[in-house]
Amino acid sequence: MKLICSQSDLNSNLSLVSRIVPSRPEPLVLGNVLVIADDTTQKVSLTVFDGNLAIRTSFNAEVSEGGSITLPAKLFNDIVSKLPEMEINLDVNTSVEDSLSNATLGSEQNIVAILSSPSGKYQLSGIDASEFPELPTINTEEENASSELNIEEQNVCTVLLPVSALTEGLKCCLFAASTELSKQILTGIHFKTQKDDFVIDSLEFAATDSHRLAVVQTPLEVPETSEVEPTSAEESLAKTTNLVKDFAVTIPAKALRELERILVNSPADQTIKFSFDETQVIFELGDKRLSSLKLTGSYPAYNQLIPSNFSRQMIVDRKRLINSLELVAVLAQKNNVVKFSLDSEAQQLFLSVDARDVGNAKEALPAEIIGESIDIAFNIKYLMDGLKAMPASEIKMQLNEWNQPVIFTPVGGFKMTYLVMPVQLRN
Amino acid sequence: MKLICSQSDLNSNLSLVSRIVPSRPEPLVLGNVLVIADDTTQKVSLTVFDGNLAIRTSFNAEVSEGGSITLPAKLFNDIVSKLPEMEINLDVNTSVEDSLSNATLGSEQNIVAILSSPSGKYQLSGIDASEFPELPTINTEEENASSELNIEEQNVCTVLLPVSALTEGLKCCLFAASTELSKQILTGIHFKTQKDDFVIDSLEFAATDSHRLAVVQTPLEVPETSEVEPTSAEESLAKTTNLVKDFAVTIPAKALRELERILVNSPADQTIKFSFDETQVIFELGDKRLSSLKLTGSYPAYNQLIPSNFSRQMIVDRKRLINSLELVAVLAQKNNVVKFSLDSEAQQLFLSVDARDVGNAKEALPAEIIGESIDIAFNIKYLMDGLKAMPASEIKMQLNEWNQPVIFTPVGGFKMTYLVMPVQLRN
């Protein structure tokens, strides 16, 4: 293997993939990134795999000799990220005879990659690419069926999603997924198609850690521009699939947080290909591909938890509410509870926190309140997470009594529902 | 006590002082900041004290009723830092009858401060100002001798120092002081007057943690501008003192790190008043005052460690050396050792790091080398600390053999000596 690439291409791609590399890889090769240089396409691909989650990305390079190797991901990334912006040479030889290789490194059994810049030379011990595990795949095309797992066609689904929809959907619910591994299915985000007049027209994202629930709906329709006209049989199928197939999958939040990072630099009008079978999900966007095991088990029937009728409603400025909560939160360090006093007559919301021995805090802000005045209390952190994610300048709070679930929604077109259970106020 | 001040004044002064407040104060009142409002001068002063180190700062305010109180420093700072830029009211009553004060807070025994902004109201429980300990003082003026500790005049010294000299002196040696409390005297910076032809003309700062030593000399002369003409008897004395008194004190690095923060926003041509007696040091700059206990014990005779003759010398670009060290350091994660190979013939410096199983790294950079070629190894961290602090574009390295102390100095007028002991290379 022999190639020349730019430091910036190698750096941005390496830092995208190397984050998921486990710190104690088992087997050892999973601590490495698989580097494949293709002299036909003049591309270099980088792949990492943590056993569940895999990310592959590729970029253009001057490949004078194709080949593959796996290299310690974090070390490789650390070196490349510190190099100045310049051309980098990467050479791999199975038996290196180089003045730099000392007795320890020079043994013929070692695979050594030499990374060189105009002023420096770095030797990294690699592991043979053949030891890197095959990534799980989804088989949607029959001609590809050779060495890969053959999954029956009816269990495979491919959907095209606008980047913007996925970005907003993830931003507005990822924070609500549980981070406790013991909660299994709740560590994922539930993706579900939504029907309107028997036509699937939107995708619903849901996340809950059992204390709060975030639900987001984004239109599923792919924008009808020339750019996204189906260009292959596969995409035609996908296009059709968008309108007919009903599905529900739960995907680990960890994988989706990495997907968020991939989406961050992608134009909002691009389209991402989302495929899954019984065990795997795959997201593909240009040269980047993320695959993950699905979470198994049935996701809670969260829609039953959302009340449909409310006796009270309040509309407030979102940023002002966040700022006021941050202020009173300073005194809520121990129990983290804030009291909302909705004053219907004064059309004011009072936030208060009482830290017995230390002091207390009160902030007032104008609000449009419908229904009787009420006192109700929340965990500040849960409130904040949801309010910060809502893409709207005003938010609507709907509620019944002080001990019943409350929902927050952004005012405007964006379909998000954030349900929080109130907490009991100490007397 | 009743006052109005700007959020930005209160915030900048509070954050300057509240950093040193201990997290487990003993007695409890040391967790508080002493707030004194003076209706004659229309100033508010803030004081904190950790038992050894005290910082006092003051700022202008509209004081309609003078008074004093101590308030929980971190909480007070947290609230004020989150308030928007606006006018803040601060009221203190010993028995508050306010709709906000509930049963717990409203008891007449409590001293409560009420901080109010246009939209919010914060009650903080305080402790009576009389419980705040008296700060140790240095008595330089006889008329002030009333209630304060009377120290004999000959043991008191006051020096005026240009802010720029102190700033540079601290920046270039604070990093080398020991952070291990058990090393006592080495946790401080040694300040010492330097004589030239029997006239004291500079101040020497030294710090060592026994692995490396940083010594900086800054001119002691106060710039002869109208601005610093002595304006009081005290300053006249100080001015004279600059030229006659010989001294050496060791000041805790912790106190000097806080002093650095005070100096950061001060104009370089300002003058700081530095006084000390047998136990205390005091730095005064405008409205800000920092006092600390001195460290006792004799400081090591560090000048004996610095060799005066060298058989080899090298001059290199400082930034380039730092960048190259940062690169090879990636592979030095375990033993943290870098080998310098000075190639006299090629006039090149080669840096190399060998991480046996993982790989190795080599960087080359041009250097002006005098003397025979040599290999010598260092702890990268120690090298870096010194190189980063040196205010020069080129640095000079002077050495004898691979196992003898090496000194680094900035090329140019700045008088800094950084001594590092080399480490033994593994074979």
Side-chain angles (χ1 to χ4, degrees):
Chain A
M1 190 167 107
K2 206 173 173 63
L3 64 95
I4 300 175
C5 66
S6 81
Q7 183 270 347
S8 63
D9 283 345
L10 183 55
N11 183 35
S12 60
N13 283 281
L14 256 182
S15 48
L16 193 70
V17 300
S18 58
R19 252 175 54 104
I20 69 156
V21 170
S23 46
R24 292 204 187 96
E26 181 57 41
L28 225 58
V29 73
L30 293 187
N32 285 14
V33 53
L34 172 65
V35 184
I36 302 175
D38 187 329
D39 52 3
T40 317
T41 59
Q42 293 288 301
K43 285 203 171 226
V44 175
S45 83
L46 304 175
T47 308
V48 293
F49 184 40
D50 76 356
N52 294 319
L53 170 61
I55 304 179
R56 171 170 295 168
T57 171
S58 67
F59 57 95
N60 295 325
E62 254 179 67
V63 181
S64 52
E65 199 182 298
S68 59
I69 187 176
T70 79
L71 292 173
K74 294 204 192 286
L75 207 57
F76 191 23
N77 184 40
D78 276 358
I79 293 171
V80 172
S81 68
K82 291 203 167 70
L83 284 171
E85 206 168 313
M86 50 164 60
E87 282 199 342
I88 292 178
N89 289 269
L90 188 67
D91 292 284
V92 176
N93 289 302
T94 36
S95 65
V96 178
E97 293 299 335
D98 184 271
S99 62
L100 271 172
S101 65
N102 59 22
T104 328
L105 274 172
S107 95
E108 289 179 11
Q109 303 304 323
N110 270 326
I111 310 177
V112 176
I114 300 173
L115 190 75
S116 46
S117 72
S119 69
K121 208 160 190 177
Y122 299 84
Q123 292 197 4
L124 286 177
S125 296
I127 299 176
D128 197 281
S130 63
E131 292 189 32
F132 201 83
E134 279 285 321
L135 298 191
T137 54
I138 292 176
N139 197 10
T140 51
E141 288 165 86
E142 281 183 47
E143 60 273 29
N144 235 343
S146 55
S147 69
E148 293 167 351
L149 200 69
N150 210 329
I151 291 163
E152 284 178 65
E153 186 67 22
Q154 60 260 41
N155 295 325
V156 176
C157 182
T158 298
V159 191
L160 294 181
L161 300 174
V163 164
S164 57
L166 200 53
T167 303
E168 287 204 318
L170 293 178
K171 174 178 175 281
C172 295
C173 71
L174 265 174
F175 67 89
S178 178
T179 50
E180 290 172 46
L181 287 181
S182 63
K183 293 210 171 168
Q184 298 184 1
I185 192 90
L186 297 190
T187 61
I189 305 292
H190 195 65
F191 280 46
K192 197 171 83 173
T193 45
Q194 286 288 102
K195 275 185 186 155
D196 186 26
D197 293 333
F198 303 99
V199 177
I200 295 166
D201 70 340
S202 66
L203 186 60
E204 186 167 280
F205 302 79
T208 178
D209 61 3
S210 76
H211 301 291
R212 58 328 199 351
L213 162 72
V215 183
V216 182
Q217 280 160 19
T218 60
L220 191 52
E221 212 179 340
V222 173
E224 292 288 352
T225 69
S226 61
E227 204 187 347
V228 292
E229 280 298 298
T231 53
S232 67
E234 188 190 25
E235 287 197 21
S236 292
L237 168 69
K239 196 97 210 259
T240 326
T241 317
N242 267 0
L243 302 172
V244 290
K245 277 209 177 173
D246 222 355
F247 68 84
V249 290
T250 309
I251 303 171
K254 186 190 167 189
L256 295 171
R257 287 196 189 97
E258 295 306 319
L259 182 64
E260 254 194 331
R261 297 180 66 238
I262 292 175
L263 296 176
V264 113
N265 294 315
S266 311
D269 59 358
Q270 249 191 298
T271 306
I272 193 162
K273 194 172 126 193
F274 169 46
S275 329
F276 59 92
D277 62 17
E278 281 165 328
T279 58
Q280 289 284 323
V281 293
I282 298 182
F283 293 92
E284 286 164 278
L285 178 71
D287 276 340
K288 298 178 177 66
R289 177 185 184 278
L290 179 147
S291 62
S292 168
L293 272 180
K294 282 160 61 175
L295 288 172
T296 51
S298 64
Y299 200 81
Y302 55 86
N303 276 314
Q304 298 172 4
L305 304 172
I306 304 174
S308 44
N309 294 307
F310 300 96
S311 59
R312 293 173 172 91
Q313 173 183 310
M314 175 180 73
I315 293 176
V316 284
D317 184 82
R318 188 180 69 98
K319 281 211 177 127
R320 189 138 182 207
L321 179 56
I322 290 176
N323 292 344
S324 301
L325 280 168
E326 276 174 347
L327 270 163
V328 297
V330 171
L331 277 136
Q333 284 151 338
K334 274 179 195 162
N335 64 9
N336 221 12
V337 170
V338 60
K339 182 170 85 176
F340 276 49
S341 301
L342 281 66
D343 184 336
S344 190
E345 214 165 297
Q347 291 289 298
Q348 288 240 305
L349 167 64
F350 295 97
L351 306 178
S352 53
V353 162
D354 179 10
R356 312 215 149 199
D357 317 328
V358 182
N360 58 43
K362 192 165 191 168
E363 282 282 338
L365 57 167
E368 286 172 43
I369 298 167
I370 300 174
E372 283 172 42
S373 294
I374 188 175
D375 284 357
I376 187 167
F378 299 100
N379 177 307
I380 294 183
K381 187 197 169 314
Y382 293 157
L383 271 189
M384 280 294 217
D385 287 347
L387 291 174
K388 283 187 175 166
M390 280 183 195
S393 62
E394 289 185 316
I395 58 114
K396 188 198 284 183
M397 169 177 166
Q398 291 168 290
L399 65 160
N400 289 305
E401 297 307 321
W402 67 268
N403 56 357
Q404 290 172 348
V406 176
I407 72 164
F408 294 85
T409 48
V411 173
F414 193 77
K415 290 187 178 167
M416 171 176 180
T417 304
Y418 187 53
L419 181 147
V420 182
M421 277 307 292
V423 296
Q424 191 156 4
L425 261 181
R426 294 173 313 172
N427 285 315
Chain B
M1 189 167 108
K2 207 173 171 65
L3 64 96
I4 301 175
C5 65
S6 81
Q7 182 271 343
S8 63
D9 283 343
L10 184 55
N11 184 34
S12 61
N13 283 281
L14 256 181
S15 48
L16 194 70
V17 300
S18 59
R19 253 175 53 105
I20 69 155
V21 170
S23 46
R24 291 202 188 97
E26 181 56 41
L28 225 58
V29 73
L30 294 186
N32 284 15
V33 53
L34 172 67
V35 184
I36 302 176
D38 187 329
D39 52 4
T40 317
T41 59
Q42 293 288 300
K43 286 206 172 226
V44 175
S45 82
L46 305 176
T47 308
V48 292
F49 185 39
D50 75 356
N52 293 319
L53 172 62
I55 304 179
R56 171 170 294 166
T57 171
S58 68
F59 57 95
N60 296 323
E62 254 179 67
V63 182
S64 52
E65 196 183 299
S68 59
I69 187 176
T70 79
L71 292 172
K74 293 202 193 288
L75 206 58
F76 190 23
N77 185 40
D78 276 358
I79 292 170
V80 173
S81 68
K82 289 203 169 69
L83 284 171
E85 204 168 316
M86 50 163 61
E87 282 198 342
I88 292 177
N89 289 268
L90 188 67
D91 292 283
V92 176
N93 289 300
T94 37
S95 64
V96 178
E97 292 300 335
D98 183 273
S99 62
L100 270 173
S101 67
N102 59 23
T104 328
L105 274 173
S107 96
E108 288 176 12
Q109 303 305 323
N110 269 326
I111 311 178
V112 176
I114 300 173
L115 189 76
S116 47
S117 72
S119 68
K121 208 161 191 176
Y122 300 83
Q123 291 198 3
L124 287 177
S125 295
I127 299 176
D128 197 280
S130 63
E131 292 190 31
F132 201 83
E134 279 285 320
L135 298 191
T137 54
I138 292 176
N139 197 12
T140 50
E141 287 164 89
E142 279 182 47
E143 61 271 28
N144 234 343
S146 55
S147 70
E148 293 168 348
L149 199 68
N150 209 329
I151 290 164
E152 285 178 64
E153 186 67 22
Q154 61 261 39
N155 294 325
V156 175
C157 182
T158 298
V159 191
L160 293 181
L161 299 173
V163 163
S164 56
L166 201 53
T167 304
E168 286 205 318
L170 293 178
K171 174 176 174 282
C172 295
C173 70
L174 265 175
F175 67 88
S178 179
T179 50
E180 290 172 46
L181 287 183
S182 63
K183 294 210 172 167
Q184 300 186 0
I185 192 91
L186 298 190
T187 61
I189 306 292
H190 194 64
F191 280 45
K192 197 171 81 174
T193 46
Q194 285 290 101
K195 276 185 187 153
D196 187 22
D197 294 332
F198 302 99
V199 177
I200 294 165
D201 70 340
S202 66
L203 188 60
E204 185 168 282
F205 301 80
T208 177
D209 61 2
S210 77
H211 301 292
R212 55 341 199 339
L213 162 72
V215 182
V216 183
Q217 281 160 19
T218 61
L220 191 53
E221 212 180 340
V222 173
E224 292 288 351
T225 68
S226 61
E227 203 187 347
V228 293
E229 278 300 298
T231 54
S232 67
E234 187 190 26
E235 286 196 19
S236 290
L237 168 70
K239 196 98 211 263
T240 326
T241 316
N242 267 359
L243 301 172
V244 290
K245 276 208 177 173
D246 221 356
F247 68 83
V249 290
T250 309
I251 303 171
K254 188 189 168 190
L256 295 171
R257 285 194 190 98
E258 296 307 319
L259 182 64
E260 253 194 332
R261 296 179 66 236
I262 291 175
L263 295 176
V264 113
N265 295 315
S266 312
D269 59 357
Q270 249 191 297
T271 304
I272 191 161
K273 193 172 126 195
F274 169 46
S275 328
F276 58 91
D277 61 16
E278 280 165 329
T279 58
Q280 289 284 323
V281 293
I282 299 183
F283 294 91
E284 285 164 278
L285 179 71
D287 276 339
K288 298 177 177 68
R289 178 186 185 277
L290 179 144
S291 63
S292 168
L293 272 180
K294 282 160 64 176
L295 287 173
T296 52
S298 65
Y299 200 79
Y302 54 87
N303 277 313
Q304 299 171 3
L305 304 173
I306 304 174
S308 45
N309 295 307
F310 299 96
S311 60
R312 294 173 171 91
Q313 172 183 311
M314 176 178 73
I315 293 176
V316 284
D317 184 83
R318 188 180 69 99
K319 281 213 176 126
R320 188 137 183 209
L321 179 56
I322 291 176
N323 291 345
S324 301
L325 280 169
E326 275 174 347
L327 269 163
V328 298
V330 172
L331 276 134
Q333 284 150 337
K334 275 180 196 163
N335 64 8
N336 221 13
V337 171
V338 59
K339 182 170 86 179
F340 275 50
S341 302
L342 281 65
D343 185 334
S344 189
E345 213 165 298
Q347 291 288 299
Q348 290 240 306
L349 167 65
F350 294 97
L351 306 178
S352 55
V353 162
D354 179 10
R356 311 213 150 200
D357 315 329
V358 181
N360 58 43
K362 192 164 192 168
E363 282 282 338
L365 56 166
E368 283 172 44
I369 298 168
I370 300 174
E372 281 173 42
S373 295
I374 189 175
D375 284 358
I376 187 167
F378 299 98
N379 177 307
I380 295 183
K381 186 194 169 315
Y382 293 156
L383 272 189
M384 281 295 216
D385 286 347
L387 292 174
K388 283 185 175 167
M390 281 185 194
S393 62
E394 287 185 316
I395 59 115
K396 189 199 283 182
M397 169 176 167
Q398 290 168 291
L399 65 159
N400 290 305
E401 298 307 319
W402 69 268
N403 56 357
Q404 291 172 346
V406 175
I407 72 164
F408 294 85
T409 49
V411 174
F414 192 77
K415 288 188 181 168
M416 171 178 180
T417 304
Y418 187 53
L419 182 149
V420 183
M421 278 306 293
V423 295
Q424 189 156 5
L425 260 181
R426 293 175 312 175
N427 286 316

